[in-house]
Coordinates of all heavy atoms in Angstrom, one line a residue:
D383 N 14.1 -34.7 -12.4 CA 13.1 -33.8 -12.0 C 13.4 -32.4 -12.3 O 12.6 -31.5 -12.0 CB 12.7 -34.0 -10.5 CG 12.3 -35.4 -10.2 OD1 11.2 -35.8 -10.7 OD2 12.9 -36.1 -9.4
A420 N 10.6 -29.2 -1.7 CA 11.0 -29.6 -0.4 C 10.9 -31.1 -0.1 O 11.7 -31.7 0.6 CB 10.1 -28.8 0.6
T421 N 9.9 -31.7 -0.7 CA 9.7 -33.1 -0.6 C 10.9 -33.9 -1.3 O 11.4 -34.8 -0.7 CB 8.4 -33.6 -1.2 OG1 7.3 -32.9 -0.5 CG2 8.2 -35.1 -1.1
L422 N 11.2 -33.4 -2.5 CA 12.4 -34.1 -3.2 C 13.7 -33.9 -2.4 O 14.5 -34.8 -2.3 CB 12.5 -33.5 -4.6 CG 11.3 -33.7 -5.6 CD1 11.6 -33.1 -6.9 CD2 11.2 -35.2 -5.8
R423 N 13.9 -32.7 -1.8 CA 15.1 -32.4 -1.1 C 15.2 -33.3 0.1 O 16.3 -33.9 0.4 CB 15.2 -30.9 -0.7 CG 16.5 -30.6 0.0 CD 16.5 -29.1 0.4 NE 16.5 -28.2 -0.7 CZ 15.5 -27.4 -1.1 NH1 14.4 -27.4 -0.4 NH2 15.6 -26.6 -2.1
A424 N 14.1 -33.4 0.9 CA 14.1 -34.3 2.0 C 14.3 -35.7 1.7 O 15.1 -36.5 2.4 CB 12.8 -34.2 2.8
R425 N 13.8 -36.2 0.5 CA 13.9 -37.6 0.1 C 15.4 -37.8 -0.3 O 16.0 -38.9 0.0 CB 13.1 -37.8 -1.1 CG 13.0 -39.3 -1.6 CD 12.2 -39.4 -2.8 NE 10.8 -38.9 -2.5 CZ 9.9 -38.6 -3.5 NH1 10.3 -38.6 -4.8 NH2 8.8 -38.1 -3.2
R426 N 16.0 -36.8 -0.9 CA 17.5 -37.0 -1.3 C 18.3 -37.1 -0.1 O 19.3 -37.8 0.0 CB 17.9 -35.8 -2.2 CG 19.4 -35.9 -2.6 CD 19.7 -34.7 -3.5 NE 21.1 -34.8 -4.0 CZ 22.2 -34.5 -3.3 NH1 22.0 -34.0 -2.0 NH2 23.3 -34.5 -3.9
Q427 N 18.0 -36.2 0.9 CA 18.9 -36.2 2.1 C 18.7 -37.5 2.9 O 19.7 -38.0 3.5 CB 18.4 -35.0 3.0 CG 18.8 -33.7 2.5 CD 18.3 -32.5 3.3 OE1 17.5 -32.7 4.2 NE2 18.7 -31.3 2.9
R428 N 17.5 -38.1 2.9 CA 17.3 -39.4 3.5 C 18.0 -40.5 2.8 O 18.5 -41.5 3.4 CB 15.8 -39.8 3.6 CG 15.1 -38.9 4.7 CD 13.7 -39.6 5.0 NE 12.9 -39.7 3.7 CZ 12.1 -38.9 3.3 NH1 11.9 -37.7 3.9 NH2 11.4 -39.1 2.2
G429 N 18.1 -40.4 1.4 CA 18.7 -41.5 0.6 C 20.1 -41.4 0.6 O 20.8 -42.4 0.3

Side-chain angles (χ1 to χ4, degrees):
D383 298 300
T421 300
L422 294 179
R423 183 181 294 111
R425 186 182 304 160
R426 181 183 184 277
Q427 290 173 352
R428 288 196 303 269

